[in-house]
Amino acid sequence: MPRAAPPALLLPLLGLAAAAAADCPSSTWVQFQDSCYIFLQEAIKVESIEDVRNQCTNHGADMISIHNEEENAFILDTLKKQWKDPADILLGMFFDTDDASFKWFDKSNMTFVKWSDQEDGEELVDTCAFLHTETGDWKKGNCEVSSVEGTLCKAAIPYEKKYLTDNRILISALVIASTVILTVLGAVVWFLYKRSLDSGFTTVFSSAHQSPYNDDCVLVVAEENEYDIQFN
């Protein structure tokens, strides 16, 4: 049995849903929530983590930052299904010695951590973080890496583009609602118009002039007039 086509009124919303999934720069990026991700699979020789970061900034992005368990799980799942799966991915994190805390290169807040090797009193100068792709845990390592098997980058969807996408959905919903309302109002007006026409015909026929005499009275009057004419 052929599959039924979606109702015509839903087509604009389906189109907008597809457009929302295409807010990333190109099809090589993957979208999750309000961010786009790309894994640069090329293995490169580097002298420092800044060389790795430049790989991302050259694509208008920055090294990956992770802010909740859902995002961490999404990255692991996408690495296994779509990207090559190196054992460890370098995160866009560094240890700031000025205030003795880890920070993200993209300057976002540190709202989530998933350390597997947290120890008190350890030396953290020149320490960066790596995502272990088997367990999803983070581990510490030296920032002075000599090579990477791939670079994971992240870019936020531009505010203007996201704002316009939300506006398109709102405008489409308003157009659909207005169309439905106008259609219903048109049906009601047409029904009332037809009803008034039918009532008008009934009124015309019901108000037609009727003689005050019935048929018998008219016959008697006619016979009396004929009798008067004969004798006159």
Side-chain angles (χ1 to χ4, degrees):
M1 186 176 186
R3 187 176 181 180
L9 290 178
L10 293 181
L11 291 177
L13 289 180
L14 294 176
L16 286 175
D23 282 339
C24 295
S26 71
S27 58
T28 58
W29 295 69
V30 180
Q31 181 176 342
F32 178 73
Q33 296 179 349
D34 294 338
S35 299
C36 298
Y37 305 77
I38 187 171
F39 184 62
L40 307 176
Q41 299 180 357
E42 180 183 3
I44 58 172
K45 299 290 184 180
V46 295
E47 294 182 0
S48 70
I49 194 173
E50 286 297 330
D51 293 336
V52 181
R53 191 182 182 196
N54 289 338
Q55 295 289 309
C56 293
T57 56
N58 289 339
H59 287 77
D62 210 328
M63 293 178 66
I64 184 72
S65 61
I66 302 175
H67 298 283
N68 52 60
E69 184 66 49
E70 292 76 18
E71 186 177 18
N72 200 75
F74 159 78
I75 292 169
L76 288 179
D77 185 62
T78 308
L79 280 168
K80 293 175 181 178
K81 291 181 178 179
Q82 184 167 336
W83 300 323
K84 291 182 180 180
D85 192 5
D88 296 300
I89 293 293
L90 184 60
L91 300 177
M93 181 190 296
F94 67 99
F95 184 77
D96 188 352
T97 56
D98 291 338
D99 55 10
S101 64
F102 280 96
K103 294 181 179 180
W104 295 112
F105 278 116
D106 64 8
K107 303 186 184 305
S108 58
N109 295 327
M110 185 71 65
T111 58
F112 171 77
V113 295
K114 198 174 176 63
W115 297 116
S116 62
D117 54 353
Q118 184 72 39
E119 297 180 8
D120 295 332
E122 59 184 324
E123 179 60 47
L124 296 175
V125 178
D126 292 329
T127 298
C128 289
F130 296 80
L131 169 66
H132 187 56
T133 58
E134 289 296 325
T135 64
D137 292 333
W138 303 355
K139 63 181 184 178
K140 300 178 183 70
N142 196 305
C143 293
E144 299 302 321
V145 294
S146 60
S147 65
V148 292
E149 298 180 43
T151 307
L152 185 55
C153 308
K154 174 182 177 181
I157 296 175
Y159 170 78
E160 295 83 0
K161 190 168 186 179
K162 182 176 182 296
Y163 179 75
L164 290 175
T165 299
D166 294 341
N167 270 358
R168 289 201 304 269
I169 295 175
L170 176 60
I171 292 172
S172 179
L174 290 175
V175 169
I176 292 172
S178 300
T179 302
V180 172
I181 292 173
L182 290 175
T183 301
V184 172
L185 287 177
V188 171
V189 170
W190 176 251
F191 172 76
L192 294 176
Y193 174 72
K194 294 289 290 182
R195 185 175 179 182
S196 66
L197 286 180
D198 295 341
S199 300
F201 281 120
T202 303
T203 304
V204 168
F205 284 113
S206 62
S207 62
H209 178 72
Q210 296 182 357
S211 173
Y213 305 103
N214 56 28
D215 293 342
D216 292 338
C217 292
V218 172
L219 181 59
V220 171
V221 171
E223 290 177 349
E224 289 178 350
N225 290 339
E226 183 181 356
Y227 180 81
D228 291 337
I229 292 172
Q230 290 177 356
F231 285 94
N232 291 332

